[in-house]
Amino acid sequence: MELRELLKRLKDLGGSDLHLVAGLPPAVRVHNELTILRDVGRPTPEQMREMIYPILAKEEIERFENDPHFRYDLDFARGVADLGRFRFNLHKQRGSLSCTIRALSGSIPSLESLGLPPGVRDFTASLRGLVLVTGPGGSGRSTTLASLVDEINHQRSARIMTIEDPIEYQLKGINQVQARPEIELTFANALRAFLRQDPDIILVGEIRDKETAEIAVKAALTGHLVLSTLHTNDAPSTINRLTNMGVEAFLVTASLLCVLAQRLVRRICDQCKEEFRPSPELLKAVGIPPEQATTLFAGRGCESCHGTGYRRRVALYELMKVTDRLRDAIIEGASATQIKQLAMAEGMITLRQAGIRKILQGMTTPEEVISQTVADDR
Ligand SMILES: [Zn+2]
C-alpha cells in the first residue's frame, strides 16, 4: 500500500478527505458521501507507519512513539508536494497511527470565474479600511479572499502579509504565515507583529474573538487595507456580531468598507437538466411571483451526477456597502433587521434575491436556494 497511490485516488475522485485507519479499508469523502476503497485492502499498524513516517521529520516520529495522546497537523508533507497540497491530521487510535488527509485547493480561481458582484473591486482598490467576507464554514469564503488578494497583488505593488489557518492557496510573492496557537502564534499575535513590519495589505484568516477584531479594526484605521472573514449568516448581522464582540460602534463605522456574505448552492447538472412547471406553493416558498416563472429547471439525475441532478456548485453573494446612511444607523444602534432594510433600500441584493436570479437563469433550483438562504420579509 502506497501513500502516493492513495493520494492520487483522492485527487482522481475529486474527494475532500482521505481517512486512513489501521485495520479498516481507506475511505475517501466526496461531497458528503464516503467512498470505501475496498480494492486496496486494510492497512496494518506496520503499513500505516511505513506510509506516514517518510513524510514526517525525525522529531515528529519520536513524539508519536512517546506520546499516547499524539495529535498533529502537518501542512507541508515531504515527498508528495507534486501531487497537490494536503493537510495531514495525525493521531493515535487504539495505539496505532491514524490519519485524515484533507486535499487543499491548488490554483486560485479568478474573480471573473467566481462571479463576484462588480462593486467588490472598488473596495479592494482602497488603501485603508476593513473588507469582510462572511458565511458559514464551507461557503467558499477563503477562496474569495485568496482571489481578491491575488488580484490586488497583480494590480499594484503593495506589501501584503497574511495569517491563515490553514493556508489553502499558495499566493505567489506574498508572505503567508500559518497560525499555530500551540506556540502562541494566534491571529491576534501575528497581526500585532505584522503592524510593526509596515505592510499595506493584511489578510486575517478569520475574526473569531474580540482581541483579533480590535487589532484588525485598529490596523484598518491606521492606513492598512485589512481583509478577513467572519462566521455570520448574512451581511447586515455582521455589524452586531462585531459590536457584540466588544468593538465600539463608532470604530466599526470608521473602519468597515463593506461586507460580502456568501453561500454555495448546488448547480443543476448540464447533462440531465430539464424544464418543469413549478407549483404555485414552490414559487411562493422561494419568493418568485408566479407570472415571472411558468417553467424552471431541475436535473433529472444521470450517471455523470450520480443520480443527484446536481454537479459542481455556484456562489450566491450579498454585498453590503457601508454608506453614510448606514453609518448613522449603526451609531444609533440599529438592529440587524433595520440595517438590512436600510441596506436593501440602498440597493443591496440579498442572498435570497441572488438565489432567485440563479433559479431564473436555470443554474440552480428553488429547493437549493430555500435550504441555503432565508426569506427577506422576516
Ligand atoms: Zn445529471
Side-chain angles (χ1 to χ4, degrees):
M1 198 174 297
E2 270 211 58
L3 183 64
R4 286 184 66 85
E5 290 306 313
L6 291 172
L7 292 175
K8 272 186 201 155
R9 291 283 286 274
L10 170 66
K11 299 294 273 190
D12 290 347
L13 286 166
S16 56
D17 301 270
L18 169 65
H19 300 273
L20 292 177
V21 180
L24 294 174
V28 171
R29 184 171 296 283
V30 186
H31 298 299
N32 280 320
E33 281 180 33
L34 220 49
T35 303
I36 313 286
L37 307 179
R38 299 194 187 281
D39 55 315
V40 292
R42 300 163 185 247
T44 61
E46 180 59 37
Q47 282 174 318
M48 284 296 296
R49 285 197 293 275
E50 279 170 10
M51 278 196 289
I52 303 297
Y53 277 10
I55 64 167
L56 297 176
K58 201 165 141 257
E59 52 272 30
E60 291 160 352
I61 296 173
E62 270 166 25
R63 270 182 57 199
F64 167 72
E65 305 270 0
N66 298 318
D67 178 2
H69 305 293
F70 178 83
R71 226 166 214 299
Y72 192 67
D73 276 340
L74 180 73
D75 279 319
F76 298 98
R78 304 193 306 188
V80 294
D82 56 310
L83 297 177
R85 303 199 46 241
F86 305 96
R87 161 173 269 205
F88 289 75
N89 175 260
L90 307 165
H91 51 276
K92 255 182 183 169
Q93 201 163 319
R94 282 176 273 125
S96 166
L97 181 60
S98 290
C99 185
T100 301
I101 303 163
R102 158 87 33 109
L104 301 176
S105 320
S107 60
I108 306 160
S110 68
L111 288 184
E112 280 75 19
S113 69
L114 292 178
L116 283 178
V120 177
R121 280 199 166 111
D122 301 341
F123 294 107
T124 53
S126 309
L127 297 177
R128 53 171 286 273
L130 181 60
V131 171
L132 291 175
V133 181
T134 76
S139 59
R141 297 173 308 179
S142 346
T143 303
T144 300
L145 270 195
S147 305
L148 287 170
V149 169
D150 191 50
E151 164 157 303
I152 295 169
N153 194 32
H154 282 93
Q155 305 252 306
R156 50 173 152 145
S157 74
R159 189 165 150 76
I160 304 174
M161 302 180 91
T162 81
I163 174 79
E164 300 165 75
D165 185 26
I167 295 172
E168 284 192 41
Y169 297 94
Q170 297 286 32
L171 297 160
K172 270 212 183 82
I174 293 179
N175 183 359
Q176 291 174 279
V177 176
Q178 164 73 48
R180 293 183 62 190
E182 70 276 15
I183 56 160
E184 304 292 314
L185 185 54
T186 58
F187 286 149
N189 286 341
L191 260 175
R192 266 192 216 98
F194 286 177
L195 289 179
R196 290 191 289 268
Q197 298 172 41
D198 194 33
D200 301 303
I201 294 158
I202 303 170
L203 183 156
V204 187
E206 189 176 1
I207 295 177
R208 295 178 190 145
D209 53 65
K210 181 184 180 187
E211 201 187 2
T212 310
E214 282 184 340
I215 309 167
V217 163
K218 186 184 152 202
L221 289 172
T222 52
H224 309 89
L225 179 65
V226 180
L227 301 112
S228 189
T229 72
L230 213 70
H231 191 124
T232 56
N233 288 329
D234 61 5
S237 63
T238 305
I239 307 290
N240 289 350
R241 173 62 55 85
L242 287 170
T243 52
N244 287 341
M245 272 183 188
V247 184
E248 297 284 351
F250 74 94
L251 290 176
V252 174
T253 58
S255 59
L256 191 60
L257 301 173
C258 71
V259 183
L260 179 74
Q262 71 175 72
R263 282 293 184 290
L264 293 175
V265 291
R266 288 184 293 170
R267 186 193 282 261
I268 300 172
C269 171
D270 286 334
Q271 305 293 314
C272 62
K273 182 167 163 178
E274 57 186 24
E275 278 186 53
F276 75 99
R277 208 169 263 281
S279 69
E281 292 76 30
L282 185 62
L283 290 175
K284 189 162 182 279
V286 71
I288 300 177
E291 66 275 11
Q292 271 191 28
T294 49
T295 58
L296 293 178
F297 291 88
R300 188 180 62 249
C302 67
E303 205 167 288
S304 65
C305 61
H306 301 285
T308 59
Y310 296 100
R311 261 187 89 186
R312 307 209 311 277
R313 291 181 294 177
V314 61
L316 308 178
Y317 299 105
E318 173 176 288
L319 176 63
M320 184 176 84
K321 305 174 183 183
V322 182
T323 61
D324 287 340
R325 281 181 65 195
L326 219 58
R327 279 188 196 99
D328 292 343
I330 295 166
I331 292 289
E332 285 161 17
S335 69
T337 311
Q338 289 167 324
I339 292 171
K340 179 168 181 175
Q341 281 164 354
L342 187 55
M344 287 174 74
E346 303 235 291
M348 178 179 82
I349 308 293
T350 65
L351 286 167
R352 175 56 65 92
Q353 289 170 334
I356 289 173
R357 287 184 180 186
K358 294 280 186 268
I359 294 169
L360 296 175
Q361 289 165 1
M363 291 169 86
T364 191
T365 61
E367 288 83 357
E368 274 296 288
V369 171
I370 290 168
S371 78
Q372 293 296 322
T373 66
V374 294
D376 292 322
D377 50 355
R378 277 179 298 172

